[in-house]
Amino acid sequence: MSALDLFAEPRPIVLGCVRPSPIARPPHWDVWTTDRQYLNLRYERGVGTVWTEDGRRRPRWSYIRRFDTGDPHSDDMTLTEFCERAGLQLADDAEVIGE
């Protein structure tokens, strides 16, 4: 990483495939980016988080994005609203299953 990379705009996270997680409530999605990175999106008690795993045999999870709506009683959000709040983009040809 060069010194210029520290000041560069972060690359957008573009989602290529989205499917609802078997855990339907609160909203929870399994996602693959166009770069084939797996992400886990969760929205619970007014807080949205985006997690990724490091791909090891025993993966460690790291959170990469978070937002708070300020409503701790909220457990309902659409994928579109989640993406807007988390700064994620759906690819034009994204495969969205069950939405």
Side-chain angles (χ1 to χ4, degrees):
M1 176 187 296
S2 74
L4 292 177
D5 291 336
L6 296 174
F7 301 103
E9 283 289 317
R11 288 185 343 167
I13 297 174
V14 182
L15 310 181
C17 181
V18 180
R19 73 170 188 215
S21 175
I23 303 168
R25 286 282 179 217
H28 187 196
W29 298 273
D30 293 317
V31 174
W32 289 264
T33 68
T34 54
D35 296 335
R36 298 183 182 166
Q37 178 184 14
Y38 172 74
L39 301 176
N40 184 271
L41 314 181
R42 295 180 189 186
Y43 180 71
E44 186 173 17
R45 296 186 183 124
V47 176
T49 54
V50 179
W51 297 84
T52 188
E53 59 184 1
D54 64 11
R56 297 181 185 180
R57 184 171 172 202
R58 300 180 100 192
R60 287 186 229 153
W61 289 89
S62 302
Y63 114 89
I64 58 175
R65 300 264 170 110
R66 181 182 188 280
F67 65 86
D68 191 335
T69 65
D71 183 359
H73 304 290
S74 176
D75 274 344
D76 193 28
M77 182 170 288
T78 66
L79 174 63
T80 302
E81 185 179 357
F82 187 100
C83 288
E84 288 172 3
R85 289 178 178 264
L88 306 174
Q89 297 175 8
L90 278 173
D92 291 336
D93 60 346
E95 179 183 2
V96 181
I97 302 164
E99 205 32 48

